[in-house]
Amino acid sequence: MWFAVISLFPEMFDAVRQHGITGRAIRRDQTQLICINPRDFAEDTYRKVDERPFGGGPGMLMMAEPLARAIRHAKQLAAERGLVDVPVVYLSPQGQTLSEGGVQSLVQHDGLILLCGRYEGIDERLIQQYVDAEWSIGDYVLTGGELPAMVLMDSLIRRLPNVMSDDASAEQDSFVDGLLDCPHYTKPDVFEGLAVPEVLKSGHHLKIEQWRFLRRVERTQARRPELLAAVVFSKQQQRWLTEANLSSECRSPENCAKETRSTKNSSIVAEVKPTTQ
């Protein structure tokens, strides 16, 4: 997947290029990232890209013309690579909130041109003429679109084939099938009086799968009950829910929390009393 980021602070994206899974994917050419500074497309001596808004008001707005030239340049670069499906995405708190469903939709594109705003925003005419979609990472305001762009890229890159060392890791993450993730444990067996659930050390794969599934349902009921309405359970999962006396539906977060507390298995995390020498 190919990314062109239009930003006044391209150096911020060194974090994506140089570290972690995204950095490794770029080094392996599993994904490509270029940064375009709209100041390079300003036509005045001072490389001006912002101006006072018409009608008055606080702050400055990013001007349409330098951004338009930067976007056209990005589209030309995409065309030179033979990429056709490369929409322009504006990172904005007014956009659609990013979700796992959105990630799975966006990752189908050949690439994305990510437009990062600054100041009080950008000229509305630029959005009308050039932007294909607006996406948000939450109902709050940041100083610019760079961090949301990095969040979006990280979520997409890890979904690309062969990027993760184990593709199953991405498939089992929270939200992929509508449920939150289950608890995870590693060595030591006992930490500050809390032991790893015995089932996870049993080597019985079906029982481990069942335990993890039930913990995911319980955690989703307690923390994000509204997610359950869209989850489709398999026949095996329905049997596990029935055996555990767990409901696949919750009328309210309060009911879910009560239900979860009443049905939790004491073997989820066992407390081990320290022995005295």
Side-chain angles (χ1 to χ4, degrees), residues 8 49-54 56-63 67 90-94 116-124 127 134 141-145:
L8 292 174
V49 296
D50 61 313
E51 190 52 87
R52 301 287 298 179
F54 282 112
M60 306 288 280
L61 285 178
M62 296 186 74
M63 301 162 66
L67 292 176
Y90 176 39
L91 286 308
S92 163
Q94 300 181 43
C116 302
R118 279 273 159 174
Y119 312 122
E120 292 298 312
I122 64 179
D123 192 307
E124 183 68 20
I127 298 174
E134 296 184 48
V141 178
L142 299 172
T143 55

mmCIF file of all heavy atoms in Angstrom, residues 8 49-54 56-63 67 90-94 116-124 127 134 141-145:
data_model
loop_
_atom_site.group_PDB
_atom_site.id
_atom_site.type_symbol
_atom_site.label_atom_id
_atom_site.label_comp_id
_atom_site.label_asym_id
_atom_site.label_seq_id
_atom_site.Cartn_x
_atom_site.Cartn_y
_atom_site.Cartn_z
ATOM 1 N N LEU A 8 2.830 20.010 6.927
ATOM 2 C CA LEU A 8 3.818 21.063 7.174
ATOM 3 C C LEU A 8 4.978 20.555 8.023
ATOM 4 O O LEU A 8 6.007 21.222 8.133
ATOM 5 C CB LEU A 8 3.150 22.248 7.891
ATOM 6 C CG LEU A 8 2.132 23.042 7.070
ATOM 7 C CD1 LEU A 8 1.455 24.084 7.948
ATOM 8 C CD2 LEU A 8 2.794 23.713 5.876
ATOM 9 N N VAL A 49 1.552 29.606 3.436
ATOM 10 C CA VAL A 49 0.483 28.633 3.210
ATOM 11 C C VAL A 49 -0.755 28.939 4.051
ATOM 12 O O VAL A 49 -1.744 28.204 3.978
ATOM 13 C CB VAL A 49 0.959 27.198 3.525
ATOM 14 C CG1 VAL A 49 2.074 26.774 2.587
ATOM 15 C CG2 VAL A 49 1.392 27.065 4.977
ATOM 16 N N ASP A 50 -0.725 30.004 4.862
ATOM 17 C CA ASP A 50 -1.858 30.308 5.732
ATOM 18 C C ASP A 50 -2.246 31.772 5.594
ATOM 19 O O ASP A 50 -1.438 32.613 5.200
ATOM 20 C CB ASP A 50 -1.532 29.983 7.187
ATOM 21 C CG ASP A 50 -0.343 30.792 7.707
ATOM 22 O OD1 ASP A 50 0.679 30.862 7.002
ATOM 23 O OD2 ASP A 50 -0.451 31.364 8.810
ATOM 24 N N GLU A 51 -3.501 32.050 5.939
ATOM 25 C CA GLU A 51 -4.013 33.410 5.809
ATOM 26 C C GLU A 51 -5.182 33.592 6.776
ATOM 27 O O GLU A 51 -5.775 32.611 7.251
ATOM 28 C CB GLU A 51 -4.468 33.655 4.361
ATOM 29 C CG GLU A 51 -4.809 35.095 4.039
ATOM 30 C CD GLU A 51 -3.712 36.072 4.407
ATOM 31 O OE1 GLU A 51 -2.806 36.299 3.576
ATOM 32 O OE2 GLU A 51 -3.778 36.596 5.542
ATOM 33 N N ARG A 52 -5.495 34.862 7.092
ATOM 34 C CA ARG A 52 -6.613 35.169 7.968
ATOM 35 C C ARG A 52 -7.928 34.741 7.312
ATOM 36 O O ARG A 52 -8.094 34.851 6.088
ATOM 37 C CB ARG A 52 -6.667 36.668 8.260
ATOM 38 C CG ARG A 52 -5.427 37.229 8.922
ATOM 39 C CD ARG A 52 -5.305 36.826 10.378
ATOM 40 N NE ARG A 52 -6.424 37.329 11.184
ATOM 41 C CZ ARG A 52 -6.560 37.093 12.488
ATOM 42 N NH1 ARG A 52 -5.651 36.360 13.123
ATOM 43 N NH2 ARG A 52 -7.574 37.584 13.151
ATOM 44 N N PRO A 53 -8.903 34.252 8.097
ATOM 45 C CA PRO A 53 -10.184 33.845 7.504
ATOM 46 C C PRO A 53 -11.066 35.029 7.148
ATOM 47 O O PRO A 53 -11.063 36.048 7.849
ATOM 48 C CB PRO A 53 -10.828 33.017 8.624
ATOM 49 C CG PRO A 53 -10.246 33.562 9.885
ATOM 50 C CD PRO A 53 -8.835 33.964 9.540
ATOM 51 N N PHE A 54 -11.809 34.903 6.053
ATOM 52 C CA PHE A 54 -12.823 35.895 5.737
ATOM 53 C C PHE A 54 -13.883 35.887 6.836
ATOM 54 O O PHE A 54 -14.253 34.834 7.354
ATOM 55 C CB PHE A 54 -13.485 35.586 4.391
ATOM 56 C CG PHE A 54 -12.646 35.979 3.211
ATOM 57 C CD1 PHE A 54 -12.093 35.023 2.373
ATOM 58 C CD2 PHE A 54 -12.413 37.324 2.939
ATOM 59 C CE1 PHE A 54 -11.330 35.388 1.276
ATOM 60 C CE2 PHE A 54 -11.648 37.705 1.838
ATOM 61 C CZ PHE A 54 -11.096 36.741 1.010
ATOM 62 N N GLY A 56 -13.492 37.319 9.694
ATOM 63 C CA GLY A 56 -12.858 37.501 10.985
ATOM 64 C C GLY A 56 -12.856 36.227 11.814
ATOM 65 O O GLY A 56 -13.263 35.163 11.361
ATOM 66 N N GLY A 57 -12.395 36.351 13.025
ATOM 67 C CA GLY A 57 -12.305 35.199 13.916
ATOM 68 C C GLY A 57 -10.870 34.894 14.260
ATOM 69 O O GLY A 57 -9.931 35.403 13.623
ATOM 70 N N PRO A 58 -10.663 34.048 15.262
ATOM 71 C CA PRO A 58 -9.304 33.750 15.716
ATOM 72 C C PRO A 58 -8.566 32.821 14.774
ATOM 73 O O PRO A 58 -9.166 32.050 14.021
ATOM 74 C CB PRO A 58 -9.547 33.066 17.066
ATOM 75 C CG PRO A 58 -10.875 32.398 16.909
ATOM 76 C CD PRO A 58 -11.689 33.326 16.043
ATOM 77 N N GLY A 59 -7.241 32.867 14.837
ATOM 78 C CA GLY A 59 -6.425 31.898 14.131
ATOM 79 C C GLY A 59 -6.300 32.139 12.645
ATOM 80 O O GLY A 59 -6.800 33.121 12.089
ATOM 81 N N MET A 60 -5.608 31.210 12.027
ATOM 82 C CA MET A 60 -5.327 31.265 10.597
ATOM 83 C C MET A 60 -5.885 30.013 9.923
ATOM 84 O O MET A 60 -6.104 28.984 10.571
ATOM 85 C CB MET A 60 -3.821 31.348 10.362
ATOM 86 C CG MET A 60 -3.135 32.481 11.092
ATOM 87 S SD MET A 60 -3.495 34.106 10.399
ATOM 88 C CE MET A 60 -2.356 34.116 8.999
ATOM 89 N N LEU A 61 -6.093 30.111 8.613
ATOM 90 C CA LEU A 61 -6.535 28.973 7.819
ATOM 91 C C LEU A 61 -5.475 28.615 6.787
ATOM 92 O O LEU A 61 -4.811 29.497 6.245
ATOM 93 C CB LEU A 61 -7.836 29.301 7.087
ATOM 94 C CG LEU A 61 -9.136 29.322 7.888
ATOM 95 C CD1 LEU A 61 -10.286 29.707 6.966
ATOM 96 C CD2 LEU A 61 -9.415 27.975 8.530
ATOM 97 N N MET A 62 -5.357 27.325 6.498
ATOM 98 C CA MET A 62 -4.484 26.901 5.414
ATOM 99 C C MET A 62 -5.140 27.245 4.090
ATOM 100 O O MET A 62 -6.336 27.000 3.877
ATOM 101 C CB MET A 62 -4.193 25.404 5.503
ATOM 102 C CG MET A 62 -3.428 25.007 6.763
ATOM 103 S SD MET A 62 -2.938 23.265 6.786
ATOM 104 C CE MET A 62 -1.593 23.277 5.592
ATOM 105 N N MET A 63 -4.358 27.822 3.206
ATOM 106 C CA MET A 63 -4.867 28.297 1.922
ATOM 107 C C MET A 63 -5.091 27.138 0.945
ATOM 108 O O MET A 63 -4.388 26.123 0.989
ATOM 109 C CB MET A 63 -3.890 29.309 1.336
ATOM 110 C CG MET A 63 -3.659 30.517 2.241
ATOM 111 S SD MET A 63 -2.156 31.438 1.806
ATOM 112 C CE MET A 63 -2.611 32.047 0.178
ATOM 113 N N LEU A 67 -2.229 23.758 -1.168
ATOM 114 C CA LEU A 67 -2.677 22.394 -0.893
ATOM 115 C C LEU A 67 -3.145 21.704 -2.171
ATOM 116 O O LEU A 67 -2.870 20.516 -2.383
ATOM 117 C CB LEU A 67 -3.805 22.409 0.134
ATOM 118 C CG LEU A 67 -3.417 22.827 1.553
ATOM 119 C CD1 LEU A 67 -4.651 22.884 2.445
ATOM 120 C CD2 LEU A 67 -2.387 21.875 2.148
ATOM 121 N N TYR A 90 -8.846 13.525 4.305
ATOM 122 C CA TYR A 90 -8.552 14.651 5.189
ATOM 123 C C TYR A 90 -8.773 14.199 6.624
ATOM 124 O O TYR A 90 -9.850 13.713 6.975
ATOM 125 C CB TYR A 90 -9.461 15.833 4.846
ATOM 126 C CG TYR A 90 -9.332 17.036 5.755
ATOM 127 C CD1 TYR A 90 -8.101 17.460 6.244
ATOM 128 C CD2 TYR A 90 -10.465 17.778 6.103
ATOM 129 C CE1 TYR A 90 -7.995 18.570 7.064
ATOM 130 C CE2 TYR A 90 -10.370 18.892 6.920
ATOM 131 C CZ TYR A 90 -9.135 19.279 7.397
ATOM 132 O OH TYR A 90 -9.033 20.384 8.206
ATOM 133 N N LEU A 91 -7.738 14.317 7.459
ATOM 134 C CA LEU A 91 -7.845 13.950 8.870
ATOM 135 C C LEU A 91 -8.486 15.110 9.616
ATOM 136 O O LEU A 91 -7.892 16.181 9.751
ATOM 137 C CB LEU A 91 -6.478 13.611 9.466
ATOM 138 C CG LEU A 91 -5.841 12.263 9.080
ATOM 139 C CD1 LEU A 91 -6.812 11.119 9.315
ATOM 140 C CD2 LEU A 91 -5.331 12.247 7.658
ATOM 141 N N SER A 92 -9.715 14.891 10.088
ATOM 142 C CA SER A 92 -10.509 15.982 10.653
ATOM 143 C C SER A 92 -11.379 15.467 11.782
ATOM 144 O O SER A 92 -11.953 14.370 11.676
ATOM 145 C CB SER A 92 -11.397 16.593 9.564
ATOM 146 O OG SER A 92 -12.429 17.370 10.119
ATOM 147 N N PRO A 93 -11.534 16.230 12.880
ATOM 148 C CA PRO A 93 -12.445 15.812 13.949
ATOM 149 C C PRO A 93 -13.897 15.761 13.496
ATOM 150 O O PRO A 93 -14.745 15.202 14.189
ATOM 151 C CB PRO A 93 -12.231 16.864 15.042
ATOM 152 C CG PRO A 93 -11.664 18.047 14.342
ATOM 153 C CD PRO A 93 -10.857 17.499 13.209
ATOM 154 N N GLN A 94 -14.196 16.339 12.343
ATOM 155 C CA GLN A 94 -15.551 16.301 11.809
ATOM 156 C C GLN A 94 -15.806 15.078 10.936
ATOM 157 O O GLN A 94 -16.923 14.879 10.448
ATOM 158 C CB GLN A 94 -15.829 17.570 11.003
ATOM 159 C CG GLN A 94 -15.703 18.852 11.811
ATOM 160 C CD GLN A 94 -16.004 20.083 10.980
ATOM 161 O OE1 GLN A 94 -16.949 20.108 10.199
ATOM 162 N NE2 GLN A 94 -15.195 21.115 11.148
ATOM 163 N N CYS A 116 -3.058 16.560 6.079
ATOM 164 C CA CYS A 116 -2.956 16.925 7.501
ATOM 165 C C CYS A 116 -3.152 18.432 7.653
ATOM 166 O O CYS A 116 -2.317 19.215 7.196
ATOM 167 C CB CYS A 116 -1.599 16.522 8.070
ATOM 168 S SG CYS A 116 -1.229 14.763 7.910
ATOM 169 N N GLY A 117 -4.229 18.816 8.274
ATOM 170 C CA GLY A 117 -4.487 20.229 8.495
ATOM 171 C C GLY A 117 -3.716 20.772 9.682
ATOM 172 O O GLY A 117 -3.197 20.032 10.509
ATOM 173 N N ARG A 118 -3.640 22.083 9.754
ATOM 174 C CA ARG A 118 -3.029 22.802 10.889
ATOM 175 C C ARG A 118 -3.811 24.081 11.127
ATOM 176 O O ARG A 118 -4.735 24.409 10.378
ATOM 177 C CB ARG A 118 -1.562 23.123 10.607
ATOM 178 C CG ARG A 118 -0.619 21.952 10.853
ATOM 179 C CD ARG A 118 -0.166 21.898 12.302
ATOM 180 N NE ARG A 118 0.317 20.576 12.680
ATOM 181 C CZ ARG A 118 0.878 20.314 13.858
ATOM 182 N NH1 ARG A 118 1.022 21.278 14.754
ATOM 183 N NH2 ARG A 118 1.270 19.097 14.165
ATOM 184 N N TYR A 119 -3.438 24.807 12.150
ATOM 185 C CA TYR A 119 -4.092 26.076 12.492
ATOM 186 C C TYR A 119 -5.575 25.827 12.790
ATOM 187 O O TYR A 119 -5.929 24.865 13.456
ATOM 188 C CB TYR A 119 -3.889 27.113 11.383
ATOM 189 C CG TYR A 119 -2.455 27.220 10.911
ATOM 190 C CD1 TYR A 119 -2.116 27.012 9.572
ATOM 191 C CD2 TYR A 119 -1.416 27.494 11.825
ATOM 192 C CE1 TYR A 119 -0.797 27.101 9.144
ATOM 193 C CE2 TYR A 119 -0.109 27.594 11.400
ATOM 194 C CZ TYR A 119 0.209 27.384 10.067
ATOM 195 O OH TYR A 119 1.509 27.467 9.656
ATOM 196 N N GLU A 120 -6.453 26.675 12.240
ATOM 197 C CA GLU A 120 -7.895 26.523 12.474
ATOM 198 C C GLU A 120 -8.555 25.607 11.450
ATOM 199 O O GLU A 120 -9.764 25.409 11.480
ATOM 200 C CB GLU A 120 -8.573 27.902 12.433
ATOM 201 C CG GLU A 120 -8.199 28.804 13.584
ATOM 202 C CD GLU A 120 -8.608 28.236 14.932
ATOM 203 O OE1 GLU A 120 -9.762 27.796 15.068
ATOM 204 O OE2 GLU A 120 -7.754 28.230 15.850
ATOM 205 N N GLY A 121 -7.764 25.060 10.547
ATOM 206 C CA GLY A 121 -8.320 24.194 9.526
ATOM 207 C C GLY A 121 -7.867 24.624 8.139
ATOM 208 O O GLY A 121 -6.862 25.319 7.987
ATOM 209 N N ILE A 122 -8.616 24.192 7.126
ATOM 210 C CA ILE A 122 -8.254 24.522 5.757
ATOM 211 C C ILE A 122 -9.458 25.117 5.034
ATOM 212 O O ILE A 122 -10.610 24.931 5.445
ATOM 213 C CB ILE A 122 -7.718 23.299 4.987
ATOM 214 C CG1 ILE A 122 -8.794 22.233 4.830
ATOM 215 C CG2 ILE A 122 -6.507 22.722 5.695
ATOM 216 C CD1 ILE A 122 -8.329 21.026 4.057
ATOM 217 N N ASP A 123 -9.189 25.822 3.966
ATOM 218 C CA ASP A 123 -10.234 26.465 3.166
ATOM 219 C C ASP A 123 -11.256 25.417 2.711
ATOM 220 O O ASP A 123 -10.899 24.378 2.149
ATOM 221 C CB ASP A 123 -9.589 27.140 1.953
ATOM 222 C CG ASP A 123 -10.545 28.061 1.221
ATOM 223 O OD1 ASP A 123 -11.642 27.606 0.860
ATOM 224 O OD2 ASP A 123 -10.171 29.231 1.003
ATOM 225 N N GLU A 124 -12.530 25.676 2.984
ATOM 226 C CA GLU A 124 -13.593 24.725 2.678
ATOM 227 C C GLU A 124 -13.644 24.350 1.192
ATOM 228 O O GLU A 124 -14.007 23.233 0.827
ATOM 229 C CB GLU A 124 -14.942 25.300 3.107
ATOM 230 C CG GLU A 124 -16.128 24.375 2.903
ATOM 231 C CD GLU A 124 -16.110 23.152 3.808
ATOM 232 O OE1 GLU A 124 -15.398 23.193 4.852
ATOM 233 O OE2 GLU A 124 -16.779 22.159 3.477
ATOM 234 N N ILE A 127 -11.609 21.340 0.388
ATOM 235 C CA ILE A 127 -12.285 20.098 0.777
ATOM 236 C C ILE A 127 -13.316 19.716 -0.279
ATOM 237 O O ILE A 127 -13.402 18.549 -0.705
ATOM 238 C CB ILE A 127 -12.952 20.261 2.159
ATOM 239 C CG1 ILE A 127 -11.899 20.554 3.232
ATOM 240 C CG2 ILE A 127 -13.747 19.003 2.519
ATOM 241 C CD1 ILE A 127 -12.472 20.871 4.592
ATOM 242 N N GLU A 134 -13.379 12.200 4.820
ATOM 243 C CA GLU A 134 -12.836 12.757 6.053
ATOM 244 C C GLU A 134 -12.933 11.701 7.142
ATOM 245 O O GLU A 134 -13.978 11.079 7.335
ATOM 246 C CB GLU A 134 -13.606 14.016 6.480
ATOM 247 C CG GLU A 134 -13.484 15.169 5.505
ATOM 248 C CD GLU A 134 -14.185 16.423 5.997
ATOM 249 O OE1 GLU A 134 -13.978 16.799 7.174
ATOM 250 O OE2 GLU A 134 -14.934 17.029 5.210
ATOM 251 N N VAL A 141 -10.043 17.475 19.736
ATOM 252 C CA VAL A 141 -9.289 18.278 18.775
ATOM 253 C C VAL A 141 -7.802 18.217 19.095
ATOM 254 O O VAL A 141 -7.401 18.356 20.260
ATOM 255 C CB VAL A 141 -9.778 19.744 18.779
ATOM 256 C CG1 VAL A 141 -8.962 20.581 17.804
ATOM 257 C CG2 VAL A 141 -11.264 19.810 18.425
ATOM 258 N N LEU A 142 -6.985 18.002 18.076
ATOM 259 C CA LEU A 142 -5.530 18.015 18.206
ATOM 260 C C LEU A 142 -4.986 19.240 17.476
ATOM 261 O O LEU A 142 -5.714 19.937 16.775
ATOM 262 C CB LEU A 142 -4.940 16.734 17.616
ATOM 263 C CG LEU A 142 -5.384 15.429 18.281
ATOM 264 C CD1 LEU A 142 -4.892 14.233 17.473
ATOM 265 C CD2 LEU A 142 -4.863 15.348 19.709
ATOM 266 N N THR A 143 -3.702 19.486 17.635
ATOM 267 C CA THR A 143 -3.106 20.662 16.995
ATOM 268 C C THR A 143 -2.898 20.472 15.500
ATOM 269 O O THR A 143 -2.620 21.440 14.790
ATOM 270 C CB THR A 143 -1.757 21.009 17.658
ATOM 271 O OG1 THR A 143 -0.915 19.853 17.617
ATOM 272 C CG2 THR A 143 -1.953 21.427 19.103
ATOM 273 N N GLY A 144 -3.006 19.264 15.021
ATOM 274 C CA GLY A 144 -2.817 19.028 13.595
ATOM 275 C C GLY A 144 -3.218 17.614 13.225
ATOM 276 O O GLY A 144 -3.520 16.778 14.085
ATOM 277 N N GLY A 145 -3.196 17.319 11.937
ATOM 278 C CA GLY A 145 -3.613 16.015 11.462
ATOM 279 C C GLY A 145 -2.516 14.967 11.400
ATOM 280 O O GLY A 145 -2.769 13.828 10.990
#
